[in-house]
Amino acid sequence: MENKAIRVRFAPSPTGPLHIGGVRTALYNFLFARHNGGKMILRIEDTDQNRFVPGAEEYIIESFRWCGIEFDEGVGAGGDFAPYRQSERKQIYRQYADQLIEKGHAYYAFDTTEELETMRKELEASGARYTSYNQESRMKMTNSLTLPNEEVMRRLSVGDPFVIRIKMPENETVKVYDEIRKEVVVDSSTLDDKVLYKSDGMPTYHLANVVDDYLMEISHVIRGEEWLPSLPLHVLLYRFLGWEEDMPKFAHLPLLLKPDGKGKLSKRDGDRLGFPVFPLEWKDPKTGEVSKGYREDGYFPEAFINMLALLGWNPGTEQEIFNMEELAEQFSIDRVGRSGARFDPDKARWFNHQYLIGKDNAELAKDFALILDEKGVTYRDTTYLERIIELVKERVNFVSEIWDQASFFFEAPESYDEKTVRKRWKENTGALLSEILELIKAAEPFKRDKLHDTIASYLEEKQIGMGQVMIGIRLCLVGSGTGPDLFTIMEMIGKEETVMRIEVGVNKLG
RNA sequence: GGCCCGUUCGUCUAGCCAGGUCAGGACGCCAGGUUUUCAUCCUGGUAACAGGGGUUCGAAUCCCCUACGGACUACCA
């Protein structure tokens, strides 16, 4: 056990798009595997045929491909333990359920949905401590514990629907160990007789995950905190199946919480606060409803991963920017926190900004060119785009925001920011600009430094402050009171365009 | 209701396991600086040990109780 090869799995259910909490769980599994030189496995848990959503599995695989989480084995990757889709493993579960029955750790139950509902209501009404199918109620139900053996056999042979339930031991102290929370002790009498095998011939999650983790030689189960309450059940299953020696270690990750208020992060929060909760855009095949994705919102996969990695884990140093290799190198389960992490959209944007400013201008220019093409904006050449990006990259969080900061490099302003005009366009500004326009026309070469020196010395001579005139020119060229160095803008858009914009501006603003 | 887990600045968190630091960093926010403007950037500031009991010379750190929060409680995963 101690020297067992490291094998971890991410086991999603293909019931819809993958939530970022799920991506984080997968990420931690992946980092753990990489850190320890182990294998990362993708297993699809599709034991509930009713909840199957077409396209979900493809979505999951595409999401991981996008953000750089790789699988060594599993659906889409193959491997020695195939198949990795539980629906394709259907026939292997029954024997283990039967084994449990033989050993007296499980039993057949024939109760209908209505009967179960009635039982629950009666227990609730009576104010009972537990309202579930358990050691207190099972002897009042229709199952192989209460029925004569011949009757059980008869029902089975005529094909009556049945489920197989675990026979939870009474008053047994179950000690389980979680790598993050340490020892957790539970009394088995507080646990219920969970269904292990469904009437449709499929196992439930509880049986399937134990059987598959054992068969696939999983060494560590790293999953969401919502599974912690069923850990005692799983541990008992390993014990009853005789696999306790080979039982994987467990680590239950804290939840991702909503940015404000209470509770776990949901799709609703994203819609309400304007950030995605899914890695990729998702269109619901039934309703046609579209949910935003990090990819489509312009996040870099590296930024997305970096942000997620730090939501619940930290290296104990002051480093905040990590690539996948660094994360894998430094990751360890004992530095995963115990409490839920509130998602912060602001910090997500900040991470993207960090990656954006660290990228090559050429690379960003490629993405920006795509946006320009979409807008139908023509441009000189990629060198021009790269120069623009160098000037504005510090000011944006996303490539898509570059246009907002740089549109004036491509087209003259159509309007002038009113507030700036009111505050900064004085009576004599027009006249002043007309004088400076002559200097601009005469500037040779039409370069940043030359323009700066010419205008600066002229203004000095006339005892006029730079600020008084520069805002006016900026208004003409940019349309607002913001933006990068003005002389650089002039040089880049060229003399002809500069002159024209100033003439138009002076004309319009007076 | 039952059961389990959790609780350090507004947020992510370090520190806790092996009690002794002005409780550290980052995001946000605020202020100042730089600049022709805005943004960036730089500097500084703001702000936390949920509460109460113990144990101890000394507790964010160990123990107990309370409160609050969350997960789970399906023939869903």
Side-chain angles (χ1 to χ4, degrees):
Chain A
M1 176 70 207
E2 287 308 316
N3 295 321
K4 200 160 147 184
I6 301 295
R7 292 171 58 81
V8 297
R9 83 307 196 270
F10 180 66
S13 185
T15 53
L18 195 59
H19 187 275
I20 53 174
V23 178
R24 190 195 58 169
T25 300
L27 174 64
Y28 285 9
N29 272 281
F30 177 67
L31 296 176
F32 181 78
R34 284 289 179 273
H35 183 86
N36 294 294
K39 293 262 192 291
M40 170 74 165
I41 294 142
L42 177 64
R43 185 170 72 217
I44 298 291
E45 310 228 323
D46 53 351
T47 51
D48 185 353
Q49 292 135 334
N50 301 319
R51 292 210 310 158
F52 176 80
V53 174
E57 184 182 303
E58 292 73 12
Y59 176 97
I60 289 166
I61 290 172
E62 172 66 6
S63 296
F64 289 135
R65 198 200 59 73
W66 175 68
C67 64
I69 294 174
E70 297 159 1
F71 290 89
D72 305 299
E73 242 178 70
V75 172
D80 296 342
F81 298 82
Y84 292 94
R85 220 177 259 113
Q86 289 183 330
S87 59
E88 294 169 16
R89 304 169 63 78
K90 185 174 178 179
Q91 66 290 353
I92 69 179
Y93 302 106
R94 177 66 193 266
Q95 56 183 296
Y96 296 105
D98 286 343
Q99 237 182 75
L100 291 169
I101 293 178
E102 279 165 35
K103 292 181 189 163
H105 293 306
Y107 58 92
Y108 296 103
F110 302 97
D111 316 272
T112 64
T113 314
E114 294 71 39
E115 287 167 343
L116 292 171
E117 186 60 25
T118 307
M119 173 201 76
R120 193 168 300 121
K121 286 216 173 104
E122 280 174 6
L123 286 171
E124 258 169 45
S126 74
R129 196 156 124 100
Y130 304 111
T131 57
S132 49
Y133 208 119
N134 64 3
Q135 53 178 285
E136 286 174 9
S137 59
R138 65 183 165 222
M139 295 316 281
K140 297 188 193 107
M141 305 303 287
T142 313
N143 53 49
S144 59
L145 263 23
T146 57
L147 259 24
N149 193 244
E150 313 80 72
E151 173 62 6
V152 173
M153 286 311 167
R154 189 195 64 78
R155 288 190 182 225
L156 256 24
S157 65
V158 299
D160 270 8
F162 68 91
V163 300
I164 296 174
R165 288 180 181 272
I166 187 169
K167 189 182 172 196
M168 193 53 73
E170 299 170 25
N171 301 315
E172 190 175 310
T173 300
V174 185
K175 281 187 189 168
V176 300
Y177 191 83
D178 178 86
E179 298 294 319
I180 293 169
R181 281 150 235 283
K182 308 310 171 190
E183 190 170 80
V184 178
V185 180
V186 187
D187 192 305
S188 69
S189 59
T190 66
L191 271 18
D192 58 352
D193 290 358
K194 280 269 180 298
V195 170
L196 302 177
Y197 194 84
K198 302 186 277 187
S199 59
D200 63 0
M202 283 292 233
T204 59
Y205 171 82
H206 300 111
L207 210 221
N209 112 18
V210 167
V211 168
D212 284 344
D213 285 343
Y214 172 76
L215 260 23
M216 294 181 182
E217 296 173 13
I218 299 303
S219 64
H220 296 258
V221 171
I222 304 169
R223 77 232 292 197
E225 194 184 14
E226 66 269 25
W227 293 112
L228 192 55
S230 48
L231 181 57
L233 166 65
H234 299 163
V235 168
L236 250 19
L237 284 173
Y238 278 99
R239 185 176 302 165
F240 294 159
L241 256 3
W243 301 337
E244 205 168 6
E245 290 297 300
D246 298 308
M247 185 169 73
K249 291 187 173 176
F250 295 93
H252 291 87
L253 270 21
L255 263 35
L256 248 36
L257 272 19
K258 55 183 73 201
D260 57 349
K262 306 159 175 16
K264 65 175 177 183
L265 183 63
S266 74
K267 184 180 121 38
R268 273 225 147 64
D269 302 313
D271 296 342
R272 183 168 54 86
L273 272 13
F275 63 88
V277 291
F278 301 119
L280 272 37
E281 189 174 278
W282 167 260
K283 186 176 179 191
D284 190 291
K286 272 214 179 87
T287 64
E289 191 191 349
V290 175
S291 304
K292 288 150 66 90
Y294 277 85
R295 179 176 66 182
E296 289 74 14
D297 260 27
Y299 280 86
F300 298 113
E302 311 92 288
F304 174 66
I305 286 295
N306 197 152
M307 176 268 299
L308 236 33
L310 259 9
L311 232 39
W313 171 85
N314 82 86
T317 65
E318 285 178 7
Q319 183 178 356
E320 291 214 272
I321 301 300
F322 299 86
N323 60 35
M324 195 70 98
E325 288 69 41
E326 292 171 312
L327 287 172
E329 197 177 299
Q330 298 186 36
F331 185 81
S332 80
I333 285 185
D334 42 60
R335 292 209 65 90
V336 172
R338 286 160 300 272
S339 51
R342 201 161 281 211
F343 178 78
D344 182 359
D346 274 335
K347 197 137 187 186
R349 283 186 274 272
W350 177 80
F351 273 113
N352 212 63
H353 177 73
Q354 295 304 310
Y355 279 87
L356 188 144
I357 60 179
K359 289 216 181 246
D360 277 358
N361 294 336
E363 197 176 338
L364 294 170
K366 262 196 255 166
D367 292 344
F368 185 45
L370 255 35
I371 291 172
L372 293 178
D373 290 345
E374 245 172 65
K375 289 184 185 293
V377 175
T378 56
Y379 52 92
R380 222 171 292 164
D381 52 35
T382 48
T383 311
Y384 188 61
L385 297 188
E386 287 171 29
R387 290 179 68 192
I388 290 168
I389 283 163
E390 177 59 29
L391 288 171
V392 304
K393 71 199 286 193
E394 293 276 7
R395 325 165 77 91
V396 301
N397 295 324
F398 301 97
V399 173
S400 61
E401 291 173 349
I402 294 177
W403 174 255
D404 304 327
Q405 297 294 330
S407 63
F408 53 85
F409 283 113
F410 304 91
E411 48 191 39
E414 284 171 2
S415 62
Y416 304 98
D417 181 65
E418 268 181 57
K419 211 174 150 191
T420 313
V421 172
R422 212 181 320 124
K423 278 176 70 179
R424 312 297 289 267
W425 192 277
K426 303 288 194 243
E427 200 121 320
N428 64 340
T429 304
L432 205 50
L433 289 205
S434 298
E435 287 173 35
I436 290 175
L437 188 56
E438 295 312 311
L439 299 175
I440 290 172
K441 281 178 180 168
E444 194 59 50
F446 198 76
K447 294 287 181 196
R448 184 196 175 281
D449 291 347
K450 176 71 183 172
L451 288 160
H452 173 268
D453 295 347
T454 308
I455 293 174
S457 56
Y458 173 79
L459 290 175
E460 198 180 338
E461 209 173 286
K462 297 202 68 173
Q463 304 262 321
I464 300 169
M466 274 280 232
Q468 284 187 55
V469 32
M470 296 309 284
I471 278 278
I473 300 177
R474 182 173 292 278
L475 232 17
C476 294
L477 299 184
V478 175
S480 77
T482 67
D485 176 63
L486 249 193
F487 301 106
T488 307
I489 294 174
M490 289 184 201
E491 178 187 321
M492 286 183 61
I493 63 177
K495 181 185 280 189
E496 195 186 331
E497 184 71 19
T498 301
V499 169
M500 195 186 75
R501 289 191 194 181
I502 294 175
E503 281 172 348
V504 169
V506 168
N507 199 291
K508 280 189 182 168
L509 295 168

